[in-house]
Amino acid sequence: MKKQKILFVHDHLFLGGAAKAALRMRKTCQELGYQTFSIHGDRASIAPWPSLSIHGKPSFFGKIRGLYLCDGNKAQNRERRALNAFQRHLKQKQYDLIWFQNIAGAIKWGWSTSWVNEAARHARTIITMHDMFYLGFEKSYAWDEPVRRTFFAGLGDKELDELFKTKRLFVNAPSDWLRGVAQELYGIKAGKLLVPMADDQFATEAKTKPSGEPTTYLVGSDNLEDERKNILPLLRLARETGILERTNSKIICLGRNLPEDLCSGRIVPLGHVENPSDYRKLFQQVHFLLHPSLIDNFPLIIQDSLALGCPVVALDRGGVAESVRNGITGRLLSEMTRETLKMVFTANAQMTPDSYNQLSQSCLSFAQSNYSEESLKPVYANYLLGVCPN
Protein backbone atom coordinates (compact mmCIF):
# COMPACT_ATOMS: atom_id res chain seq x y z
CA MET A 1 0.00 0.00 0.00
CA LYS A 2 1.29 3.44 -0.95
CA LYS A 3 2.54 5.51 1.97
CA GLN A 4 0.81 8.83 1.43
CA LYS A 5 2.60 12.15 1.84
CA ILE A 6 1.18 15.17 3.65
CA LEU A 7 2.64 18.67 3.40
CA PHE A 8 1.84 20.87 6.40
CA VAL A 9 1.91 24.62 5.73
CA HIS A 10 2.11 26.93 8.77
CA ASP A 11 3.62 30.39 9.23
CA HIS A 12 5.90 29.51 12.16
CA LEU A 13 7.45 26.12 12.69
CA PHE A 14 6.76 25.88 16.42
CA LEU A 15 6.38 29.36 17.95
CA GLY A 16 2.81 30.25 18.88
CA GLY A 17 -0.21 28.15 19.75
CA ALA A 18 -1.33 27.39 16.19
CA ALA A 19 2.17 26.26 15.17
CA LYS A 20 2.39 23.96 18.18
CA ALA A 21 -1.05 22.61 17.31
CA ALA A 22 0.12 21.96 13.75
CA LEU A 23 3.06 19.89 14.98
CA ARG A 24 0.80 17.89 17.31
CA MET A 25 -1.51 17.15 14.40
CA ARG A 26 1.44 16.30 12.19
CA LYS A 27 2.83 13.90 14.82
CA THR A 28 -0.48 12.02 14.91
CA CYS A 29 -0.51 11.72 11.11
CA GLN A 30 3.09 10.44 11.21
CA GLU A 31 2.13 7.80 13.76
CA LEU A 32 -0.78 6.76 11.54
CA GLY A 33 1.74 5.87 8.83
CA TYR A 34 1.78 9.03 6.71
CA GLN A 35 4.96 10.72 5.53
CA THR A 36 4.95 14.36 6.62
CA PHE A 37 6.83 17.54 5.82
CA SER A 38 6.39 21.19 6.88
CA ILE A 39 6.78 24.49 5.06
CA HIS A 40 7.07 27.56 7.25
CA GLY A 41 8.11 31.18 6.94
CA ASP A 42 10.61 31.58 9.76
CA ARG A 43 14.16 30.20 9.68
CA ALA A 44 13.66 27.80 12.57
CA SER A 45 14.34 24.09 12.59
CA ILE A 46 13.26 21.41 15.01
CA ALA A 47 14.31 17.77 15.29
CA PRO A 48 13.10 15.28 14.24
CA TRP A 49 10.66 17.05 11.91
CA PRO A 50 12.00 17.81 8.39
CA SER A 51 10.88 21.17 7.09
CA LEU A 52 11.66 23.99 4.65
CA SER A 53 11.56 27.77 5.14
CA ILE A 54 9.95 29.68 2.26
CA HIS A 55 9.68 33.45 2.22
CA GLY A 56 9.70 36.36 -0.18
CA LYS A 57 12.51 38.33 1.38
CA PRO A 58 14.73 40.00 -1.25
CA SER A 59 18.35 39.14 -1.91
CA PHE A 60 21.12 41.62 -1.09
CA PHE A 61 20.80 43.27 -4.49
CA GLY A 62 17.04 43.07 -4.25
CA LYS A 63 17.18 45.07 -1.02
CA ILE A 64 19.19 47.76 -2.80
CA ARG A 65 16.67 47.91 -5.66
CA GLY A 66 13.88 48.00 -3.09
CA LEU A 67 15.14 51.29 -1.75
CA TYR A 68 13.55 52.94 -4.78
CA LEU A 69 10.18 51.16 -4.47
CA CYS A 70 7.11 52.22 -2.53
CA ASP A 71 5.80 49.96 0.23
CA GLY A 72 3.02 48.61 -2.00
CA ASN A 73 5.46 47.48 -4.68
CA LYS A 74 7.73 45.93 -2.06
CA ALA A 75 4.80 43.88 -0.72
CA GLN A 76 3.83 42.74 -4.22
CA ASN A 77 7.41 41.66 -4.93
CA ARG A 78 7.54 39.70 -1.66
CA GLU A 79 4.30 37.91 -2.58
CA ARG A 80 5.58 37.12 -6.07
CA ARG A 81 8.89 35.71 -4.81
CA ALA A 82 7.21 33.66 -2.06
CA LEU A 83 4.56 32.25 -4.42
CA ASN A 84 7.23 31.37 -7.01
CA ALA A 85 9.22 29.51 -4.36
CA PHE A 86 6.10 27.64 -3.24
CA GLN A 87 5.28 26.70 -6.84
CA ARG A 88 8.82 25.43 -7.42
CA HIS A 89 8.59 23.22 -4.35
CA LEU A 90 5.26 21.73 -5.46
CA LYS A 91 6.72 20.96 -8.90
CA GLN A 92 9.73 19.25 -7.35
CA LYS A 93 7.86 17.27 -4.70
CA GLN A 94 4.66 15.30 -5.02
CA TYR A 95 2.15 15.26 -2.17
CA ASP A 96 -1.17 13.51 -1.70
CA LEU A 97 -2.43 16.16 0.73
CA ILE A 98 -1.47 19.76 1.41
CA TRP A 99 -2.66 20.85 4.83
CA PHE A 100 -2.84 24.57 5.64
CA GLN A 101 -2.72 25.65 9.25
CA ASN A 102 -2.25 29.30 10.29
CA ILE A 103 -0.54 31.49 7.69
CA ALA A 104 -1.51 34.95 9.00
CA GLY A 105 1.86 35.45 10.67
CA ALA A 106 3.68 34.88 7.37
CA ILE A 107 2.01 37.74 5.50
CA LYS A 108 5.09 39.83 6.37
CA TRP A 109 7.20 37.27 4.46
CA GLY A 110 5.05 37.44 1.35
CA TRP A 111 2.65 34.57 1.99
CA SER A 112 -0.95 35.01 0.88
CA THR A 113 -4.17 33.04 0.52
CA SER A 114 -3.31 32.61 -3.19
CA TRP A 115 -1.25 29.66 -1.97
CA VAL A 116 -4.47 27.76 -1.22
CA ASN A 117 -5.65 27.84 -4.84
CA GLU A 118 -2.15 26.95 -6.03
CA ALA A 119 -1.99 23.98 -3.67
CA ALA A 120 -5.38 22.69 -4.84
CA ARG A 121 -3.99 22.45 -8.38
CA HIS A 122 -1.41 19.94 -7.16
CA ALA A 123 -3.18 17.88 -4.51
CA ARG A 124 -6.21 17.65 -2.29
CA THR A 125 -6.02 20.51 0.16
CA ILE A 126 -7.11 20.87 3.78
CA ILE A 127 -7.55 24.06 5.80
CA THR A 128 -7.66 23.96 9.57
CA MET A 129 -9.13 27.20 10.91
CA HIS A 130 -7.30 27.97 14.13
CA ASP A 131 -8.83 31.44 14.18
CA MET A 132 -10.84 33.75 11.92
CA PHE A 133 -8.13 34.52 9.35
CA TYR A 134 -9.45 32.29 6.56
CA LEU A 135 -12.91 33.79 7.06
CA GLY A 136 -11.57 36.99 5.49
CA PHE A 137 -10.33 39.02 8.44
CA GLU A 138 -6.97 40.73 8.18
CA LYS A 139 -6.60 40.33 11.92
CA SER A 140 -6.87 36.96 13.59
CA TYR A 141 -9.68 38.10 15.87
CA ALA A 142 -12.53 40.57 15.52
CA TRP A 143 -14.45 41.46 18.66
CA ASP A 144 -15.62 45.03 18.18
CA GLU A 145 -17.17 44.82 14.72
CA PRO A 146 -19.88 42.76 13.00
CA VAL A 147 -18.77 39.53 11.36
CA ARG A 148 -19.28 40.02 7.63
CA ARG A 149 -18.93 37.75 4.63
CA THR A 150 -15.94 38.63 2.43
CA PHE A 151 -13.86 35.91 0.70
CA PHE A 152 -13.11 32.57 2.29
CA ALA A 153 -9.35 31.99 1.95
CA GLY A 154 -9.29 34.64 -0.75
CA LEU A 155 -11.43 32.50 -3.06
CA GLY A 156 -14.38 33.76 -5.06
CA ASP A 157 -17.72 31.97 -4.76
CA LYS A 158 -17.33 30.06 -8.02
CA GLU A 159 -13.78 28.96 -7.20
CA LEU A 160 -14.82 27.88 -3.73
CA ASP A 161 -17.86 25.94 -4.96
CA GLU A 162 -15.81 24.20 -7.63
CA LEU A 163 -13.10 23.15 -5.16
CA PHE A 164 -15.66 21.70 -2.78
CA LYS A 165 -17.63 20.04 -5.58
CA THR A 166 -14.55 18.32 -7.00
CA LYS A 167 -13.33 17.41 -3.50
CA ARG A 168 -10.11 19.36 -3.88
CA LEU A 169 -10.68 21.41 -0.73
CA PHE A 170 -11.69 20.38 2.80
CA VAL A 171 -12.12 22.57 5.87
CA ASN A 172 -12.10 21.78 9.58
CA ALA A 173 -11.78 23.59 12.90
CA PRO A 174 -11.11 22.62 16.53
CA SER A 175 -14.33 24.21 17.79
CA ASP A 176 -18.01 24.00 16.94
CA TRP A 177 -18.18 27.77 17.42
CA LEU A 178 -15.85 28.52 14.51
CA ARG A 179 -17.48 25.82 12.40
CA GLY A 180 -20.76 27.62 12.99
CA VAL A 181 -19.29 30.96 11.89
CA ALA A 182 -18.01 29.37 8.66
CA GLN A 183 -21.42 27.83 8.03
CA GLU A 184 -23.22 31.11 8.71
CA LEU A 185 -20.99 33.24 6.49
CA TYR A 186 -20.14 30.91 3.62
CA GLY A 187 -22.33 27.84 3.93
CA ILE A 188 -19.22 25.74 4.56
CA LYS A 189 -19.79 22.43 6.31
CA ALA A 190 -16.49 22.21 8.13
CA GLY A 191 -15.37 19.11 9.97
CA LYS A 192 -14.13 19.08 13.54
CA LEU A 193 -10.63 18.00 14.53
CA LEU A 194 -9.35 18.55 18.04
CA VAL A 195 -5.63 18.87 18.67
CA PRO A 196 -4.00 15.65 19.95
CA MET A 197 -1.69 15.50 22.97
CA ALA A 198 1.01 12.93 23.70
CA ASP A 199 1.11 10.97 26.95
CA ASP A 200 4.02 13.00 28.34
CA GLN A 201 1.97 16.20 28.04
CA PHE A 202 -0.46 15.00 30.72
CA ALA A 203 0.07 15.14 34.47
CA THR A 204 0.19 11.77 36.17
CA GLU A 205 -1.88 12.92 39.14
CA ALA A 206 -4.23 15.69 40.17
CA LYS A 207 -2.98 18.92 41.72
CA THR A 208 -3.30 19.86 45.38
CA LYS A 209 -3.85 23.19 47.15
CA PRO A 210 -2.97 23.15 50.86
CA SER A 211 -5.02 25.32 53.23
CA GLY A 212 -3.58 28.78 53.83
CA GLU A 213 -1.46 28.76 50.68
CA PRO A 214 -1.88 31.84 48.44
CA THR A 215 -4.17 31.17 45.48
CA THR A 216 -1.95 31.57 42.44
CA TYR A 217 -3.18 32.35 38.92
CA LEU A 218 -1.36 32.24 35.61
CA VAL A 219 -2.02 34.56 32.66
CA GLY A 220 -0.12 34.00 29.45
CA SER A 221 0.44 35.46 26.02
CA ASP A 222 3.48 35.92 23.80
CA ASN A 223 2.75 39.65 23.99
CA LEU A 224 0.98 40.64 27.19
CA GLU A 225 0.10 44.01 25.65
CA ASP A 226 -1.94 42.37 22.88
CA GLU A 227 -5.36 44.05 23.13
CA ARG A 228 -7.09 40.90 21.89
CA LYS A 229 -5.87 38.97 24.91
CA ASN A 230 -7.36 41.53 27.33
CA ILE A 231 -4.71 40.79 29.96
CA LEU A 232 -3.56 44.28 30.95
CA PRO A 233 -7.11 45.56 31.60
CA LEU A 234 -7.67 42.51 33.81
CA LEU A 235 -4.47 43.13 35.77
CA ARG A 236 -5.33 46.79 36.27
CA LEU A 237 -8.81 45.87 37.46
CA ALA A 238 -7.41 43.32 39.90
CA ARG A 239 -4.94 45.88 41.26
CA GLU A 240 -7.48 48.69 41.56
CA THR A 241 -10.04 46.58 43.41
CA GLY A 242 -7.52 45.19 45.88
CA ILE A 243 -9.02 41.73 45.33
CA LEU A 244 -5.60 40.05 45.31
CA GLU A 245 -4.76 41.29 48.81
CA ARG A 246 -8.22 40.54 50.20
CA THR A 247 -8.19 36.95 48.96
CA ASN A 248 -4.45 36.29 49.44
CA SER A 249 -4.01 35.73 45.71
CA LYS A 250 -1.33 36.52 43.17
CA ILE A 251 -1.02 36.42 39.39
CA ILE A 252 2.04 35.14 37.53
CA CYS A 253 2.40 36.70 34.07
CA LEU A 254 3.89 34.51 31.34
CA GLY A 255 5.03 36.49 28.31
CA ARG A 256 6.70 39.69 27.23
CA ASN A 257 5.95 43.39 27.71
CA LEU A 258 4.40 43.56 31.15
CA PRO A 259 4.46 47.28 32.12
CA GLU A 260 6.61 47.99 35.16
CA ASP A 261 3.83 49.93 36.85
CA LEU A 262 1.79 46.72 37.12
CA CYS A 263 4.55 44.64 38.71
CA SER A 264 4.27 43.99 42.44
CA GLY A 265 4.43 41.21 44.97
CA ARG A 266 0.93 40.20 43.80
CA ILE A 267 1.47 40.60 40.04
CA VAL A 268 4.69 38.82 39.14
CA PRO A 269 6.46 39.03 35.73
CA LEU A 270 7.84 35.74 34.49
CA GLY A 271 8.93 36.59 30.96
CA HIS A 272 8.95 34.20 28.02
CA VAL A 273 9.27 30.45 28.59
CA GLU A 274 9.79 28.31 25.50
CA ASN A 275 11.33 25.10 26.84
CA PRO A 276 8.48 22.50 26.96
CA SER A 277 9.66 20.99 30.23
CA ASP A 278 9.94 24.38 31.95
CA TYR A 279 6.56 25.35 30.53
CA ARG A 280 4.86 22.29 32.03
CA LYS A 281 6.64 22.77 35.38
CA LEU A 282 5.19 26.27 35.51
CA PHE A 283 1.70 24.82 35.97
CA GLN A 284 2.92 23.06 39.12
CA GLN A 285 3.37 26.52 40.67
CA VAL A 286 -0.14 27.79 39.96
CA HIS A 287 -3.66 26.75 40.93
CA PHE A 288 -5.70 28.32 38.11
CA LEU A 289 -5.20 29.54 34.58
CA LEU A 290 -6.82 32.96 34.11
CA HIS A 291 -7.87 33.49 30.48
CA PRO A 292 -9.57 36.84 29.81
CA SER A 293 -9.21 36.73 26.01
CA LEU A 294 -12.04 38.47 24.17
CA ILE A 295 -12.47 35.94 21.38
CA ASP A 296 -10.67 32.62 20.94
CA ASN A 297 -11.30 29.49 18.95
CA PHE A 298 -9.31 26.72 20.65
CA PRO A 299 -6.65 28.22 22.95
CA LEU A 300 -3.79 25.77 23.31
CA ILE A 301 -2.88 27.21 26.71
CA ILE A 302 -6.30 26.10 28.01
CA GLN A 303 -5.76 22.61 26.59
CA ASP A 304 -2.31 22.43 28.19
CA SER A 305 -3.66 23.68 31.51
CA LEU A 306 -6.42 21.07 31.69
CA ALA A 307 -4.01 18.28 30.70
CA LEU A 308 -1.85 19.29 33.65
CA GLY A 309 -4.80 19.28 36.05
CA CYS A 310 -5.02 23.06 36.34
CA PRO A 311 -8.59 24.49 36.30
CA VAL A 312 -9.36 27.53 34.14
CA VAL A 313 -11.20 30.79 34.77
CA ALA A 314 -12.13 32.27 31.39
CA LEU A 315 -14.36 34.71 29.57
CA ASP A 316 -17.22 33.08 27.70
CA ARG A 317 -16.09 34.09 24.22
CA GLY A 318 -15.72 32.18 20.97
CA GLY A 319 -15.08 28.48 21.41
CA VAL A 320 -13.78 28.69 24.98
CA ALA A 321 -16.99 27.28 26.47
CA GLU A 322 -16.31 23.97 24.73
CA SER A 323 -13.31 23.31 26.98
CA VAL A 324 -14.08 25.39 30.08
CA ARG A 325 -17.12 23.86 31.76
CA ASN A 326 -18.50 25.34 34.98
CA GLY A 327 -17.74 23.06 37.92
CA ILE A 328 -16.02 20.51 35.67
CA THR A 329 -12.92 22.20 34.29
CA GLY A 330 -13.17 25.62 35.94
CA ARG A 331 -15.34 28.70 35.81
CA LEU A 332 -16.78 30.51 32.80
CA LEU A 333 -17.56 34.22 33.21
CA SER A 334 -19.89 36.31 31.07
CA GLU A 335 -17.85 39.46 31.78
CA MET A 336 -14.69 40.47 33.61
CA THR A 337 -15.97 43.08 36.08
CA ARG A 338 -15.34 44.05 39.68
CA GLU A 339 -18.27 41.88 40.72
CA THR A 340 -17.30 38.78 38.76
CA LEU A 341 -13.65 39.00 39.83
CA LYS A 342 -14.68 39.36 43.46
CA MET A 343 -16.99 36.37 43.14
CA VAL A 344 -14.52 34.02 41.49
CA PHE A 345 -11.39 35.04 43.44
CA THR A 346 -13.29 34.72 46.74
CA ALA A 347 -14.80 31.35 45.83
CA ASN A 348 -11.44 29.95 44.68
CA ALA A 349 -9.69 31.18 47.83
CA GLN A 350 -12.30 29.42 49.97
CA MET A 351 -12.03 26.04 48.24
CA THR A 352 -11.10 23.19 50.54
CA PRO A 353 -8.10 21.02 49.64
CA ASP A 354 -10.47 18.13 48.81
CA SER A 355 -12.73 20.18 46.56
CA TYR A 356 -9.76 21.63 44.67
CA ASN A 357 -8.22 18.18 44.25
CA GLN A 358 -11.51 16.85 42.87
CA LEU A 359 -11.74 19.75 40.40
CA SER A 360 -8.16 19.14 39.28
CA GLN A 361 -8.93 15.44 38.76
CA SER A 362 -12.00 16.41 36.73
CA CYS A 363 -9.77 18.56 34.48
CA LEU A 364 -7.41 15.64 33.91
CA SER A 365 -10.23 13.25 33.08
CA PHE A 366 -11.79 15.75 30.64
CA ALA A 367 -8.47 16.32 28.89
CA GLN A 368 -7.69 12.61 28.63
CA SER A 369 -11.09 11.84 27.15
CA ASN A 370 -11.03 14.67 24.62
CA TYR A 371 -7.41 15.40 23.72
CA SER A 372 -5.27 12.28 24.13
CA GLU A 373 -3.66 10.79 21.03
CA GLU A 374 -5.23 7.45 21.93
CA SER A 375 -8.74 8.89 21.71
CA LEU A 376 -8.09 11.06 18.63
CA LYS A 377 -6.08 8.72 16.39
CA PRO A 378 -9.20 6.88 15.15
CA VAL A 379 -10.84 10.25 14.44
CA TYR A 380 -7.85 11.39 12.37
CA ALA A 381 -7.62 8.05 10.57
CA ASN A 382 -11.27 8.20 9.51
CA TYR A 383 -11.02 11.87 8.54
CA LEU A 384 -7.96 11.33 6.32
CA LEU A 385 -9.51 8.30 4.65
CA GLY A 386 -12.51 10.44 3.81
CA VAL A 387 -10.34 13.19 2.39
CA CYS A 388 -7.90 11.07 0.43
CA PRO A 389 -8.63 7.33 0.44
CA ASN A 390 -5.76 4.94 -0.28
Side-chain angles (χ1 to χ4, degrees):
M1 182 180 294
K2 175 187 175 184
K3 194 170 187 179
Q4 294 188 311
K5 298 180 180 180
I6 304 178
L7 172 64
F8 283 81
V9 184
H10 38 110
D11 46 16
H12 297 280
L13 181 58
F14 63 90
L15 291 175
K20 293 176 182 177
L23 286 183
R24 293 178 185 181
M25 297 169 82
R26 180 181 169 184
K27 179 176 180 288
T28 297
C29 293
Q30 187 83 21
E31 293 179 354
L32 286 171
Y34 292 85
Q35 292 182 358
T36 65
F37 191 81
S38 283
I39 282 179
H40 50 96
D42 54 11
R43 296 180 180 274
S45 62
I46 182 170
W49 304 106
S51 65
L52 173 68
S53 173
I54 288 182
H55 57 78
K57 294 179 181 179
S59 63
F60 174 76
F61 292 106
K63 290 180 180 178
I64 295 176
R65 289 192 296 270
L67 295 175
Y68 303 95
L69 297 175
C70 67
D71 290 342
N73 287 336
K74 290 179 183 179
Q76 290 177 359
N77 286 342
R78 280 197 302 271
E79 284 193 16
R80 175 180 51 80
R81 287 189 293 263
L83 180 59
N84 287 343
F86 184 56
Q87 290 171 330
R88 285 196 299 272
H89 181 79
L90 295 184
K91 288 178 181 178
Q92 294 167 0
K93 305 289 184 179
Q94 185 176 357
Y95 297 100
D96 299 287
L97 292 171
I98 301 175
W99 198 330
F100 283 84
Q101 309 280 330
N102 258 29
I103 65 170
I107 300 300
K108 58 182 175 288
W109 297 313
W111 288 29
S112 69
T113 51
S114 64
W115 285 32
V116 174
N117 211 355
E118 183 64 31
R121 295 191 183 102
H122 292 262
R124 295 193 175 194
T125 299
I126 304 173
I127 290 175
T128 291
M129 299 184 294
H130 289 283
D131 55 33
M132 299 176 76
F133 173 77
Y134 290 106
L135 297 180
F137 295 90
E138 292 183 1
K139 295 183 178 180
S140 298
Y141 305 87
W143 65 91
D144 56 356
E145 61 187 63
V147 179
R148 296 187 179 93
R149 177 187 175 97
T150 54
F151 294 95
F152 181 82
L155 297 164
D157 291 345
K158 290 184 178 180
E159 291 176 302
L160 191 62
D161 290 342
E162 181 65 19
L163 288 175
F164 283 137
K165 183 178 179 180
T166 57
K167 296 186 177 181
R168 303 293 292 176
L169 179 64
F170 300 82
V171 179
N172 62 71
S175 79
D176 289 324
W177 169 75
L178 195 53
R179 292 173 65 215
V181 177
Q183 173 72 41
E184 178 184 349
L185 292 182
Y186 300 98
I188 292 174
K189 295 181 179 179
K192 184 176 182 180
L193 283 181
L194 296 176
V195 181
M197 301 186 73
D199 289 344
D200 62 2
Q201 294 172 311
F202 289 86
T204 55
E205 59 183 16
K207 291 170 60 64
T208 59
K209 183 180 181 295
S211 298
E213 184 175 285
T215 305
T216 306
Y217 296 82
L218 174 70
V219 295
S221 175
D222 182 57
N223 177 14
L224 294 167
E225 291 182 320
D226 189 338
E227 292 181 357
R228 303 168 300 179
K229 301 302 181 181
N230 200 30
I231 290 174
L232 298 191
L234 165 70
L235 296 178
R236 292 192 176 98
L237 184 61
R239 184 186 62 183
E240 292 166 3
T241 59
I243 191 66
L244 299 177
E245 290 79 8
R246 290 201 301 273
T247 59
N248 189 22
S249 302
K250 66 178 180 178
I251 302 175
I252 295 177
C253 304
L254 171 65
R256 301 180 177 93
N257 302 324
L258 180 67
E260 289 186 9
D261 68 298
L262 283 175
C263 299
S264 68
R266 297 286 179 178
I267 299 177
V268 183
L270 185 65
H272 180 71
V273 175
E274 186 57 48
N275 181 276
S277 178
D278 292 341
Y279 174 72
R280 287 194 290 270
K281 287 179 182 177
L282 174 60
F283 284 88
Q284 298 174 9
Q285 306 172 30
V286 302
H287 303 113
F288 296 91
L289 172 68
L290 194 53
H291 190 78
S293 182
L294 293 159
I295 285 188
D296 262 313
N297 173 39
F298 184 81
L300 218 63
I301 192 171
I302 288 182
Q303 183 189 44
D304 292 338
S305 182
L306 299 180
L308 294 170
C310 188
V312 181
V313 177
L315 264 180
D316 187 2
R317 297 291 189 275
V320 169
E322 295 172 38
S323 52
V324 182
R325 310 280 180 85
N326 283 320
I328 299 175
T329 58
R331 179 68 65 89
L332 205 60
L333 302 179
S334 58
E335 298 291 340
M336 287 280 184
T337 64
R338 291 171 177 263
E339 291 72 24
T340 58
L341 282 186
K342 178 181 178 181
M343 174 192 68
V344 74
F345 273 68
T346 302
N348 289 343
Q350 293 175 349
M351 289 186 74
T352 66
D354 283 346
S355 61
Y356 178 83
N357 183 258
Q358 290 173 11
L359 181 60
S360 176
Q361 183 59 61
S362 180
C363 293
L364 278 176
S365 299
F366 180 90
Q368 283 281 3
S369 299
N370 289 278
Y371 308 138
S372 69
E373 285 183 335
E374 181 181 0
S375 64
L376 288 176
K377 273 184 180 178
V379 177
Y380 274 68
N382 290 333
Y383 178 78
L384 291 171
L385 282 176
V387 171
C388 193
N390 290 320

